[in-house]
Amino acid sequence: MGVPWLILPTFNEAENIEALVRAADAVLGDAAPEGHRILVVDDSSPDGTGEMADRLATELDALEVLHRSVREGLGPAYLAGFAHALAAGASHVMEMDSDFSHDPADLARLLQATRDGADVALGSRYVDGGGVSDWGLLRRCVSQGGSWYARVVLGLKIRDLTGGFKCFRS
């Protein structure tokens, strides 16, 4: 069986990418002693994020960089990353935003939940211990409104359907 993969979509994350990758690599190194992979999916960031990730990949064996020549957005970046990880035989696929809006330390909890039998584990902003910081009123309203709408349309009880912090068993 394969190893867990973390997908990090990026666009203009030069100020965050090295610290985020190093933090995630340390957490996953402890949580997945069998090994892990981290895939940065960069949409041709004009701030040099992709090139920074390339340099970091020469130091970290677990890191790969997927360069996309056209900015297609977050959803297609995740799809490209998932396809890459699954084609490589990933046991689990995790997704996480690259702006430190998620705590890399929580990757271990998401991975463990799926190892304990869940098909998917969701990191949520809208549960005890969750939260957001540095979000304006509009972004909060869009997030909560989108989650409410999806919950009603899909008939689910999950409170945070718009979050980008998840772990799936492959």
Side-chain angles (χ1 to χ4, degrees), residues 72-91:
E72 296 180 46
L74 187 60
Y78 275 130
L79 291 174
F82 276 47
H84 185 91
L86 292 171
S91 63

Side-chain angles (χ1 to χ4, degrees), residues 1-168:
M1 189 69 159
V3 298
W5 281 66
L6 172 62
I7 311 303
L8 296 172
T10 60
F11 187 78
N12 286 345
E13 295 293 348
E15 69 181 55
N16 300 322
I17 195 63
E18 182 172 358
L20 182 68
V21 167
R22 288 188 187 281
D25 187 54
V27 169
L28 292 173
D30 291 338
E34 73 280 11
H36 66 278
R37 304 293 299 159
I38 299 172
L39 179 64
V40 169
V41 180
D42 187 66
D43 276 3
S44 297
S45 296
D47 72 349
T49 301
E51 292 78 11
M52 290 180 74
D54 284 337
R55 284 191 298 279
L56 192 55
T58 64
E59 296 177 36
L60 301 175
D61 291 335
L63 180 61
E64 291 184 34
V65 184
L66 176 61
H67 294 276
R68 295 175 357 125
S69 59
V70 177
R71 183 177 180 200
E72 296 180 46
L74 187 60
Y78 275 130
L79 291 174
F82 276 47
H84 185 91
L86 292 171
S91 63
H92 299 77
V93 180
M94 295 171 275
E95 66 178 51
M96 180 177 178
D97 293 342
S98 295
D99 62 359
F100 271 108
S101 60
H102 309 120
D103 185 350
D106 290 325
L107 288 166
R109 291 175 45 203
L110 293 178
L111 182 58
Q112 190 59 50
T114 58
R115 287 183 166 169
D116 288 344
D119 290 323
V120 63
L122 306 173
S124 179
R125 298 163 282 213
Y126 307 125
V127 297
D128 288 340
V132 295
S133 61
D134 301 328
W135 277 19
L137 180 61
L138 179 61
R139 186 169 180 191
R140 285 178 194 260
C141 289
V142 168
S143 174
Q144 290 175 336
S147 287
W148 174 84
Y149 177 78
R151 194 168 56 245
V152 169
V153 168
L154 298 173
L156 300 174
K157 295 181 181 180
I158 298 169
R159 299 193 52 82
D160 190 0
L161 291 166
T162 63
F165 195 32
K166 301 175 180 100
C167 178
F168 302 88

